[in-house]
Amino acid sequence: MAFFGRYRRLMRLTYGVLLAISAALFLMNLRTQYRSTRSLMDERFRQTADSIDFLVKSLADHVEGFRAGAETYWREDARSCPYGALAGQLRELPGNKGIALEPVRVPFKASETGNVTGAGKLTGRSPSFAKSIRVALGLNPLFGAALRNMPGVVWAYYTSIDDFILMYPWVPYTEYHYSAITHTGEFFALGKPGVNPGRRRFWTGVYVDQCGKGLMVTCGAPVYAGDKFMGTVAADATLDLLNSYINGYPYKSSTLFIVNDRGEMLAHPGLVRSTDPDIKNVKLALPPATGLTQAKLAALTSGKEYVLGGYVVVCQQLKNAPWRVVMLTPQSAMVRSVAGQSAGPLVVLLFGMTLMLLVANSLTRREFIEPAEKLVTHIDAASRTPDTAIPPVPDAWRSWFDTVSRVFSEHSNLLEQLRSQNEHLEEMVAARTAEVSKRNVELAAAMERLKEMQRQIVTQEKMAALGGLTAGIAHEIKNPLNFVNNFSELSLGLLDEMADLLQTSAERVEPDDMADIQDILGDLRQNAAKVNEHGKRADSIVRGMLLHSRGKPGQAQETDLNALVAEYVNLAYHGMRAVDAEFNVKIETEYDQAVGRVSVVPQDLSRAILNIVNNACYAAYDARKHRPAGFQPAIRVSTKVAGDRIEVRIRDNGEGIPAEVREKVFTPFYTTKPAGKGTGLGLSITYDIIVQEHSGELLIESEDHAFTEFIIRLPRGPLGQERAE
């Protein structure tokens, strides 16, 4: 019968549903197992990264100990150094090859000290050279303790400005010695005052050890005697030391590696070994499917999980070194592993439920299907004729048949009532639809107002944060600057008094001596006057910064626009000069006196001017690399009245901005500068200040390899008038 055919199809459907439920349970279990495994992997990854960070901190602490020991010896009598007597064993090498501490004679041992090699002779050297030798030799116990405590650290050394180096442990002159290129190495160059004015501890890039220890990385710190730079202390660790932590990660489906801020890999289970002949770039470890580059990897948020091209990517920034630990996990490999663990329970469950379904099917056909067939036939007949007679059925089923007959009779009556109610319902739906459409229009208008308020709030928050930073820096500079100005003025007064006193005692001084003393006093007076002059100039700049940072956010003031532009063009130029002493850009200005005073928010507009002028100076100065000899970097700043607007134009003769990039330069975090040279926020903030806050325009005109010009157009009327219109 057709009924039983449908029943068999229903049973097949039921079995299909069973399979679907089993698959759903499997997927739920797979998801749970996946999340659990991911959680365990992430926890172990963090533990591994923390262990590496602790290792790095231990090495950095030893280097800080080296620096503290060296600077203590410089402050005190270096002759008290426990290994200071070794200075007497230094000798000059034959053939004018320099100096060396070899051989090491009793009571000292070569295994307990480092070799001192240097240029020049021992005779005719300054007392500072002798003390520098003793300071270096006094570090031997600290160097030995560091190498014993950290087996992966292979060298510790002190590099002096007096043209020598102490290398621990002792190594013969023929294997390694001081040379003319020693001071060019990063272990020394990164500690020099011009590169490291803050005297911070530093890390070098990866390099090949000259003594055959393979690839390694160095932690170093500058050493000062008071305010004088005397050299650096450093310790070298091989990359195999870092690899030992990476190789201990238990999840083989994942790959861990360490990369520094230069894109060099410091550890990788398959790509990096200390014995490698060359340095590996991080791009070798990044699968193309992820779309990651060195810059994009550096931009990933530390501790956040990313899914890129079928890979799970997690990074953790170390606290004690500019390095990142990265974990790459192929999702497919991880899913296969978890699926293998979850498949067993699914098979048992599916077999049991299939057996249960077969037994239930047999009982159901005997007890329910045949009576149900008669019930279906009766339902079909009753649907056409509500008064159809009930066929003979078991007593347990009789009530069902009675119910069917009663339901169909009532159903006929309800149909008539529903037809009437449907007509009324359609009218209600039309009215409700019109009301909802009206509310949607009101919500859209409210959303636009909310977005405008949000943009204003974001701009104000950015300005407040930048103002607070400027005020903090200015206050920190103000105190030492006051001392410079006050003491320079006091020095001028004292010099005048000394000149008067000398004049009264002129007969007691030889004429030649008197002339020399007056020349010296003149030079001192001129120097003190210059110090006072430039100190007051710096004080004026600091006061401007404080005034600039104290303005209320969004408060418009009548401002001399030409004076504001001139002041911040000058501030930008001197700021670039402070960072790079060789920086030199020609600045041409043309200010229209008809501009006069304009209603602006000066503390915010000045930031915008400063950002654009900084970029122009950078672009013009950087263009020297691509232009022929004799090229003169220059920027031109001008103001003029243009109808109902004021125009400020800032033009540089740099390489220009390509057309495809111009639409992106105002996007937050987008920058055309090299990595580490820009944040990508300057022009975004500038755009918000000009367009959103001042109701103005910010335009760009540029020609490749010729120029870039930023055009600022501001309304001449009171701030906010144009926006209201």
Side-chain angles (χ1 to χ4, degrees):
M1 295 176 61
F3 178 80
F4 289 105
R6 290 194 299 272
Y7 174 72
R8 285 192 294 271
R9 289 194 295 273
L10 178 62
M11 291 305 298
R12 287 194 293 270
L13 178 61
T14 303
Y15 190 70
V17 171
L18 173 62
L19 290 175
I21 293 173
S22 299
L25 291 174
F26 171 72
L27 292 176
M28 291 173 61
N29 185 49
L30 180 64
R31 181 180 298 175
T32 302
Q33 290 287 344
Y34 180 84
R35 290 176 178 173
S36 176
T37 303
R38 283 289 312 129
S39 177
L40 292 174
M41 290 174 65
D42 289 345
E43 180 63 26
R44 187 57 182 268
F45 169 69
R46 286 191 294 271
Q47 292 175 0
T48 301
D50 290 342
S51 297
I52 295 171
D53 210 8
F54 180 78
L55 167 71
V56 171
K57 183 178 184 301
S58 298
L59 179 55
D61 288 345
H62 278 295
V63 172
E64 288 292 350
F66 301 163
R67 169 160 59 182
E71 292 184 345
T72 299
Y73 287 139
W74 274 112
R75 286 194 303 272
E76 301 173 356
D77 188 355
R79 288 175 293 184
S80 64
C81 299
Y83 280 77
L86 266 172
Q89 297 188 17
L90 274 173
R91 68 185 184 89
E92 296 179 1
L93 298 173
N96 198 23
K97 292 184 177 180
I99 61 174
L101 182 62
E102 52 181 88
V104 178
R105 298 186 296 275
V106 294
F108 300 102
K109 300 178 181 179
S111 60
E112 297 174 353
T113 184
N115 198 354
V116 177
T117 61
K121 296 178 176 294
L122 292 173
T123 57
R125 305 300 283 265
S126 67
S128 174
F129 172 77
K131 186 172 183 178
S132 184
I133 290 290
R134 294 190 185 96
V135 169
L137 292 170
L139 297 177
N140 278 315
L142 296 178
F143 289 166
L147 268 63
R148 287 191 298 273
N149 292 337
M150 304 187 70
V153 177
V154 296
W155 299 112
Y157 42 92
Y158 175 90
T159 309
S160 173
I161 61 173
D162 290 319
D163 296 339
F164 75 84
I165 184 171
L166 184 146
M167 178 71 72
Y168 188 99
W170 191 91
V171 60
Y173 179 90
T174 54
E175 293 185 17
Y176 179 82
H177 59 273
Y178 177 90
S179 66
I181 65 171
T182 299
H183 281 175
T184 65
E186 287 190 335
F187 59 83
F188 182 83
L190 293 180
K192 296 169 69 175
V195 178
N196 190 355
R199 306 184 185 182
R200 296 186 301 274
R201 186 178 65 243
F202 56 84
W203 290 87
T204 69
V206 182
Y207 63 93
V208 179
D209 179 47
Q210 296 183 27
C211 294
K213 300 293 185 180
L215 294 179
M216 58 178 54
V217 67
T218 297
C219 178
V223 175
Y224 280 78
D227 290 332
K228 184 178 180 182
F229 173 68
M230 303 307 298
T232 62
V233 288
D236 295 343
T238 64
L239 299 193
D240 283 343
L241 174 62
L242 301 176
N243 260 334
S244 64
Y245 284 79
I246 295 298
N247 292 333
Y249 189 67
Y251 297 96
K252 301 306 178 184
S253 59
S254 296
T255 300
L256 266 63
F257 60 89
I258 306 174
V259 59
N260 63 15
D261 55 350
R262 309 178 187 195
E264 300 168 341
M265 283 197 295
L266 305 176
H268 188 287
L271 296 176
V272 176
R273 294 289 184 275
S274 289
T275 55
D276 291 342
D278 53 2
I279 301 168
K280 303 296 177 56
N281 189 276
V282 70
K283 64 183 180 182
L284 297 177
L286 299 175
T290 63
L292 287 174
T293 62
Q294 176 184 337
K296 292 180 180 179
L297 181 64
L300 298 183
T301 302
S302 179
K304 183 177 180 181
E305 182 178 294
Y306 296 86
V307 179
L308 304 170
Y311 287 81
V312 177
V313 184
V314 183
C315 302
Q316 182 158 331
Q317 182 71 42
L318 299 187
K319 300 176 183 177
N320 295 286
W323 303 346
R324 279 194 163 200
V325 183
V326 182
M327 178 175 67
L328 279 175
T329 307
Q331 279 187 308
S332 58
M334 188 172 174
V335 170
R336 285 195 300 270
S337 175
V338 175
Q341 301 173 14
S342 305
L346 175 66
V347 173
V348 175
L349 175 65
L350 186 60
F351 178 78
M353 294 189 72
T354 300
L355 182 61
M356 188 189 334
L357 187 62
L358 292 174
V359 174
N361 178 43
S362 177
L363 294 174
T364 300
R365 288 190 62 180
R366 186 174 67 249
E367 299 295 331
F368 299 100
I369 296 303
E370 291 180 1
E373 181 185 10
K374 293 182 180 180
L375 179 60
V376 170
T377 302
H378 178 66
I379 291 172
D380 181 62
S383 66
R384 294 190 297 272
T385 306
D387 298 331
T388 300
I390 299 174
V393 293
D395 292 338
W397 286 81
R398 182 74 186 185
S399 60
W400 291 93
F401 285 83
D402 291 337
T403 300
V404 167
S405 296
R406 185 178 65 255
V407 166
F408 275 105
S409 177
E410 294 173 354
H411 176 69
S412 179
N413 296 329
L414 288 174
L415 283 177
E416 287 298 324
Q417 297 177 14
L418 285 174
R419 290 191 186 96
S420 175
Q421 292 178 359
N422 281 340
E423 294 176 357
H424 179 64
L425 182 62
E426 289 177 357
E427 296 176 357
M428 293 178 62
V429 169
R432 177 67 66 170
T433 301
E435 182 181 354
V436 170
S437 298
K438 180 180 178 181
R439 291 292 179 88
N440 286 341
V441 173
E442 294 174 353
L443 286 174
M447 182 61 70
E448 288 300 320
R449 292 194 299 273
L450 181 60
K451 288 180 179 178
E452 175 63 23
M453 294 173 64
Q454 185 180 19
R455 285 193 294 269
Q456 296 176 12
I457 290 172
V458 169
T459 300
Q460 292 175 1
E461 287 179 350
K462 291 177 182 176
M463 297 303 102
L466 189 57
L469 177 61
T470 303
I473 295 173
H475 276 295
E476 290 300 322
I477 296 174
K478 185 71 174 175
N479 290 333
L481 191 58
N482 286 339
F483 278 99
V484 172
N485 292 338
N486 293 339
F487 279 104
S488 62
E489 291 178 358
L490 181 60
S491 297
L492 286 171
L494 291 174
L495 288 170
D496 291 337
E497 292 179 10
M498 182 177 289
D500 294 339
L501 181 61
L502 185 63
Q503 192 66 34
T504 60
S505 305
E507 68 277 359
R508 287 181 288 175
V509 181
E510 292 295 330
D512 291 341
D513 294 340
M514 175 64 74
D516 292 340
I517 291 172
Q518 288 178 342
D519 288 342
I520 293 172
L521 286 177
D523 291 342
L524 289 175
R525 184 179 291 105
Q526 183 179 5
N527 292 344
K530 285 296 183 180
V531 170
N532 187 256
E533 175 188 350
H534 290 285
K536 289 181 178 178
R537 179 180 180 84
D539 186 59
S540 172
I541 294 173
V542 171
R543 285 199 304 272
M545 292 172 66
L546 287 172
L547 179 63
H548 165 73
S549 64
R550 289 171 182 163
K552 296 181 180 178
Q555 182 179 3
Q557 301 176 21
E558 290 291 331
T559 304
D560 186 338
L561 187 63
N562 286 342
L564 184 143
V565 172
E567 177 181 357
Y568 282 91
V569 168
N570 187 45
L571 182 60
Y573 175 78
H574 287 287
M576 299 291 283
R577 289 278 294 176
V579 174
D580 185 355
E582 297 181 358
F583 173 83
N584 187 23
V585 171
K586 181 180 179 182
I587 299 180
E588 301 174 355
T589 59
E590 183 180 345
Y591 301 131
D592 186 352
Q593 297 304 315
V595 170
R597 302 180 69 82
V598 182
S599 176
V600 297
V601 182
Q603 65 271 24
D604 292 346
L605 183 60
S606 62
R607 294 187 183 104
I609 298 296
L610 193 63
N611 282 337
I612 297 177
V613 175
N614 276 338
N615 286 345
C617 288
Y618 176 87
Y621 191 64
D622 191 60
R624 298 173 307 146
K625 305 173 184 176
H626 312 286
R627 301 293 178 85
F631 169 73
Q632 173 63 51
I635 67 171
R636 185 176 186 275
V637 183
S638 64
T639 62
K640 72 174 184 178
V641 177
D644 61 346
R645 298 218 162 203
I646 303 296
E647 276 193 0
V648 180
R649 291 177 174 260
I650 302 170
R651 181 187 182 107
D652 65 74
N653 62 349
E655 288 297 289
I657 303 176
E660 63 273 12
V661 174
R662 290 173 205 163
E663 297 180 357
K664 305 177 184 177
V665 294
F666 298 127
T667 303
F669 303 106
Y670 181 85
T671 179
T672 59
K673 296 180 180 177
K677 294 292 186 180
T679 63
L681 289 174
L683 287 180
S684 173
I685 294 174
T686 299
Y687 184 86
D688 290 343
I689 292 171
I690 301 301
V691 178
Q692 301 296 333
E693 186 172 0
H694 288 82
S695 300
E697 296 179 273
L698 181 57
L699 308 175
I700 300 175
E701 294 181 359
S702 182
E703 182 179 331
D704 290 350
H705 313 299
F707 73 92
T708 298
E709 186 170 32
F710 282 81
I711 304 170
I712 301 173
R713 291 178 180 159
L714 301 173
R716 298 186 68 183
L719 182 59
Q721 176 178 335
E722 183 168 309
R723 184 184 301 171
E725 293 173 356

